[in-house]
Amino acid sequence: METIDSISLTILFGAVLVLAGIMSSLVALRFGAPLLLVFLLVGMLAGESGLGGIKFDDVQLAYTVGSVALGLILFDGGLRTKLATFRNVLGPAGLLATVGVLITAGLTAPAAVWVLGLNWTEALLVGAVMASTDAAAVFFLLHAKGLRLRPRVSATLEVESGINDPFAIFLTIVLVEILLSGHKAWTDIASFLVQEAVVGAVFGWLGGLAMVQVLNRLELPQGMHGPFVATGALVTFGLAEALHGSGFLAVYIAGLLVGNRETRAHGAIVTFLDASTWLAQIAMFVLLGLLAWPERLPQRLLPALAVALALMLIARPAAVMVCLAPFRFSLREKLFVSWVGLRGAVSVFLAAIPMLVGLPGAHYYFDVAFVVVMLSLLIQGWSIGEAARFLRIGLPRMDVNARRTELDLPGTLKHELVGYPVVADSPFLRRGITPSWAKLTLVVRDDRVQTPEEASTVRVGDHVYFLAPPDRVQALDRFFAERPPQASAEADLVEDFFVPGETTLGALAEIYGLEISPEDAQTPLADFFALYFIKHAPRPNDAIPLGPVKLVAHTVTNDRVVMVGLQLADPEPVPRTKIEKALVLARRIARRLRARLRRAKS
């Protein structure tokens, strides 16, 4: 009975810790605190020298849970990355994830030699442990601060963080083996790296392809698509690792493949993975917090602070400047990418590897890494929003509050049924605008299901259902929100959005919070293109910058724009000299005069 009681108490304490992590995440969301920091503190407080008094020293269990959590996190990251985005930033992100990791580790090592008294191999191990960035922390904090990054910067950080973890893990394992054996030939290191990359990439591709085939060809029971994909990701990870490949690279590639193929129940899969990765992160962070020994951490504070400052102010900026030099990034973008190189889950996880293999002084690496991560989250984490605003990298963001219902259609992969309640303040009701790829199919009114023809006009209180591609349903939320967001356009909601050419500028401005002159409010977009391009008739792909968005002529018939696409526009350069300001004003006046003359002639 005592054994059963102890098991029950273990389950109780574990559930209470997870619950404490979930509840404290609400506080973190309110104050913009880094979630990793909150979960680590929960684990520390529950530990042997904390308030909970729980004795925990099972490094193998913490490493296993950490591997599962990171596998799911990387798979989820690949699942959400569009292949076009991956290709566009693979150059800069790939250099940051490989050469950048090496430079970061190499420039952090001298600080570790100086303040920690380590030899060069041990110092390089400290640098390798710290070389990986934590994108989950970055994007959570930007979301909490109400910001959305420029697409190119956001995509570079997203892809870098997804593919730099495998290389940082590889570098850490190689250095641990050198410290254990005393020597490792460069040819062996090179062949090990090639084997890890090739085996990981092959199994990632095969695993992702297998998951897509099963999702689309087999009739899985309702609700089992998400668990199947999560389990398939872990199977892919385990197979790659068992055959001496990089399991972390494998799950990222598998997620990339699944996320960019048409699959059944895509929305349900994403929702399930959201919950799974949250629980996995909480479990991993709490266990790593339990492994920490708060009584030792103050002794490591000053040396770890020196390492953290060297990492934040020297190593990471130097790596970013070198790796992004061949690409067209502005200085402000490079500075921001340098500052948001937060240390996080992977750094603490890698610091547990020396303890797992019994490396002498392993607790020292773990303690220093733990303190550096906490300092990085405190210093960089809480200042990330201010840095984005100061460097003008972040765009204002307003979340759209729309109650969406998604229904998977077994007979097709091209569309799903999406439903919304129609509220009084919704832009859809006032303007009647819907994108060309969304088709109104059903209207539910007074407990009766009607076709659009039977319903005639949509009213307040109706529930409307649209057929829409699964990867575009989020764009519909903006039209059924209780209040139209008065903020700059967001990349995720704009990049695949199209409106008819007869839509007025006023309607577009109301939805996206654009600033236009009152006399242009009733001007159709087709007329706006005709007035803008004086020397020639509008042509496909002609673009007009309009505040935070860019209007693109998507379809042109008989010299008239009939379909307009919206893209997130880079900010126009701000005129600084009086001559530049005068030229800008002259161009605006000339454009308005030409528009009035054309209207008078017509």
Side-chain angles (χ1 to χ4, degrees):
M1 292 299 294
E2 291 182 2
T3 303
I4 296 177
D5 289 341
S6 64
I7 293 175
S8 300
L9 288 174
T10 302
I11 294 173
L12 175 62
F13 281 125
V16 169
L17 284 177
V18 173
L19 185 61
I22 294 173
M23 299 306 295
S24 46
S25 68
L26 299 176
V27 180
L29 283 167
R30 183 176 181 84
F31 295 100
L35 276 184
L36 173 56
L37 180 62
V38 173
F39 297 148
L40 288 176
L41 290 176
V42 169
M44 291 175 62
L45 291 174
E48 186 175 358
S49 58
L51 299 176
I54 300 175
K55 184 176 181 180
F56 180 80
D57 56 1
D58 193 340
V59 180
Q60 186 171 359
L61 175 61
Y63 184 82
T64 303
V65 173
S67 297
V68 171
L70 286 178
L72 289 175
I73 292 168
L74 286 173
F75 180 84
D76 186 59
L79 189 74
R80 296 172 186 275
T81 302
K82 293 186 177 181
L83 194 57
T85 300
F86 183 83
R87 290 170 177 166
N88 289 338
V89 298
L90 183 58
L95 280 178
L96 283 172
T98 52
V99 177
V101 167
L102 285 173
I103 294 175
T104 302
L107 294 181
T108 305
V113 170
W114 180 49
V115 300
L116 301 178
L118 304 175
N119 62 43
W120 280 102
T121 305
E122 294 169 338
L124 281 173
L125 177 58
V126 172
V129 166
M130 300 298 164
S132 179
T133 59
D134 191 308
V138 172
F139 289 106
F140 166 79
L141 289 173
L142 288 168
H143 184 276
K145 299 290 185 181
L147 292 172
R148 183 178 292 275
L149 295 181
R150 288 183 184 177
R152 179 173 59 175
V153 177
S154 174
T156 301
L157 287 170
E158 179 183 351
V159 175
E160 178 214 355
S161 62
I163 60 179
N164 71 355
D165 294 342
F167 193 78
I169 294 169
F170 158 78
L171 189 60
T172 300
I173 292 175
V174 167
L175 290 169
V176 167
E177 288 185 357
I178 292 175
L179 288 172
L180 286 174
S181 63
H183 176 71
K184 193 173 183 69
W186 288 106
T187 54
D188 294 339
I189 295 175
S191 62
F192 179 49
L193 173 60
V194 172
Q195 178 180 331
E196 288 272 311
V198 171
V199 174
V202 169
F203 272 89
W205 183 80
L206 292 175
L209 191 62
M211 281 184 268
V212 170
Q213 294 298 318
V214 171
L215 285 172
N216 293 339
R217 294 181 179 274
L218 299 183
E219 294 292 336
L220 295 176
Q222 189 72 22
M224 293 302 294
H225 298 87
F228 164 74
V229 168
T231 307
L234 296 179
V235 169
T236 302
F237 172 84
L239 283 174
E241 288 287 332
L243 295 175
H244 305 291
S246 173
F248 299 101
L249 179 62
V251 291
Y252 183 80
I253 292 176
L256 193 66
L257 187 64
V258 174
N260 286 275
R261 295 288 184 94
E262 294 179 340
T263 58
R264 296 273 305 278
H266 180 79
I269 291 171
V270 171
T271 302
F272 180 85
L273 282 175
D274 277 343
S276 300
T277 53
W278 263 97
L279 290 175
Q281 286 183 84
I282 292 173
M284 175 178 64
F285 298 157
V286 169
L287 287 179
L288 292 174
L290 285 171
L291 277 180
W293 195 266
E295 294 180 356
R296 294 197 310 257
L297 297 184
Q299 304 172 10
R300 322 291 195 203
L301 182 59
L302 290 179
L305 177 61
V307 173
L309 291 176
L311 180 66
M312 289 186 284
L313 302 179
I314 300 175
R316 171 69 178 179
V320 170
M321 295 299 173
V322 170
C323 294
L324 297 187
F327 307 96
R328 297 177 60 185
F329 283 83
S330 67
L331 178 60
R332 288 186 287 109
E333 290 173 332
K334 293 176 184 176
L335 290 174
F336 184 76
V337 173
S338 302
W339 186 246
V340 298
L342 271 72
R343 309 303 108 176
V346 178
S347 296
V348 183
F349 171 75
L350 291 180
I353 294 179
M355 292 172 32
L356 182 67
V357 300
L359 192 69
H363 281 284
Y364 194 74
Y365 298 108
F366 186 85
D367 293 343
V368 171
F370 199 92
V371 174
V372 170
V373 167
M374 294 187 71
L375 290 172
S376 174
L377 291 172
L378 283 171
I379 297 172
Q380 294 173 294
W382 252 302
S383 63
I384 191 171
E386 288 70 20
R389 294 186 185 94
F390 177 75
L391 295 171
R392 290 180 290 166
I393 298 299
L395 298 171
R397 168 186 182 145
M398 182 175 289
D399 292 326
V400 178
N401 183 22
R403 291 178 292 165
R404 182 207 311 161
T405 302
E406 297 182 28
L407 300 175
D408 179 40
L409 299 178
T412 178
L413 299 176
K414 303 289 186 181
H415 294 87
E416 63 182 37
L417 202 59
V418 187
Y420 297 92
V422 180
V423 295
D425 291 334
S426 65
F428 171 80
L429 192 63
R430 287 195 305 273
R431 294 292 185 176
I433 302 174
T434 54
S436 59
W437 40 260
K439 180 181 180 182
L440 181 61
T441 307
L442 297 173
V443 178
V444 180
R445 178 183 300 161
D446 299 328
D447 294 331
R448 293 180 54 198
V449 178
Q450 303 177 5
T451 64
E453 292 77 16
E454 292 172 338
S456 182
T457 58
V458 177
R459 307 172 187 170
V460 176
D462 290 349
H463 281 72
V464 291
Y465 289 83
F466 290 86
L467 282 176
D471 59 338
R472 295 185 177 183
V473 295
Q474 188 182 5
L476 283 174
D477 292 355
R478 183 171 288 263
F479 298 92
F480 295 92
E482 294 184 2
R483 290 184 177 87
Q486 298 298 319
S488 297
E490 299 180 23
D492 290 348
L493 303 181
V494 175
E495 57 187 3
D496 291 323
F497 189 73
F498 298 91
V499 293
E502 298 306 316
T503 302
T504 63
L505 280 169
L508 208 62
E510 182 178 6
I511 295 171
Y512 283 103
L514 307 177
E515 294 183 4
I516 62 171
S517 58
E519 59 267 22
D520 291 332
Q522 300 304 318
T523 303
L525 296 179
D527 291 345
F528 188 63
F529 270 90
L531 294 171
Y532 188 89
F533 293 98
I534 303 297
K535 296 182 179 179
H536 62 81
R539 296 173 295 199
N541 296 323
D542 279 344
I544 303 175
L546 190 66
V549 301
K550 185 184 294 183
L551 306 179
V552 181
H554 182 263
T555 306
V556 180
T557 303
N558 296 328
D559 294 336
R560 185 170 178 82
V561 178
V562 296
M563 192 64 63
V564 179
L566 275 70
Q567 294 179 353
L568 196 70
D570 290 328
E572 295 184 358
V574 179
R576 302 193 180 277
T577 66
K578 292 183 178 180
I579 296 177
E580 290 177 342
K581 291 180 180 179
L583 290 174
V584 170
L585 181 60
R587 283 197 295 267
R588 289 177 180 172
I589 294 173
R591 186 180 299 166
R592 289 182 180 178
L593 289 174
R594 285 195 297 267
R596 290 179 181 178
L597 289 174
R598 174 167 292 193
R599 288 175 183 172
K601 291 179 181 179
S602 61

